[in-house]
Amino acid sequence: MSALAKASGALKSVDYEVFGRVQGNGGYTEQEAKKLGVVGWVKNTSQGTVTGQVQGPEEKVNEMKSWLSKVGSPSSRIDKTNFSNEKEISKLDFSDFNTRY
C-alpha cells in the first residue's frame, strides 16, 4: 500500500442509484463531490433515477453517500438511495468527478 493510501485510510468505490424527484441535478452532485474530493460520475437514467459511482478515501466516500441519501440538490426529493458493489480499491479509476450524458 502506498504512503498516501496509508495516510488517508483505505480507498473505497461504491455504485449508487437515487430514487425520487432527482433528475437534472447532476451539477449539484458534481459540485458536492469536488468539494469533498471524491472522483467518479453521475448520470440521469431513462427510469427517472440518477446513477453513478463514487471513489476516494473511505471517510469521504461515506460523506458523499450520506449526501446522496439525505441531502441532494435544493430542488430534489430523495425517496431512497441504493448502494452496491462497495469495495476497497488499490487505486482510483477516475481523475475527476463528472456528469455523463
Side-chain angles (χ1 to χ4, degrees), residues 26-98:
Y28 285 100
T29 304
E30 193 173 318
Q31 193 178 352
E32 184 67 16
K34 288 179 178 180
K35 189 173 90 181
L36 288 173
V38 294
V39 298
W41 55 274
V42 60
K43 179 182 175 180
N44 290 329
T45 70
S46 57
Q47 292 79 40
T49 64
V50 171
T51 186
Q53 188 175 61
V54 176
Q55 294 184 348
E58 184 172 15
E59 70 181 57
K60 298 295 184 188
V61 169
N62 289 341
E63 285 180 51
M64 190 67 190
K65 284 173 65 179
S66 179
W67 188 87
L68 288 164
S69 301
K70 300 181 180 98
V71 182
S73 73
S75 62
S76 68
R77 186 196 74 241
I78 299 168
D79 293 339
K80 74 173 182 176
T81 306
N82 289 346
F83 296 100
S84 60
N85 301 322
E86 188 162 349
K87 59 187 184 267
E88 202 168 297
I89 54 174
S90 59
K91 66 177 182 51
L92 300 173
D93 296 326
F94 310 98
S95 58
D96 202 355
F97 194 97
N98 58 43

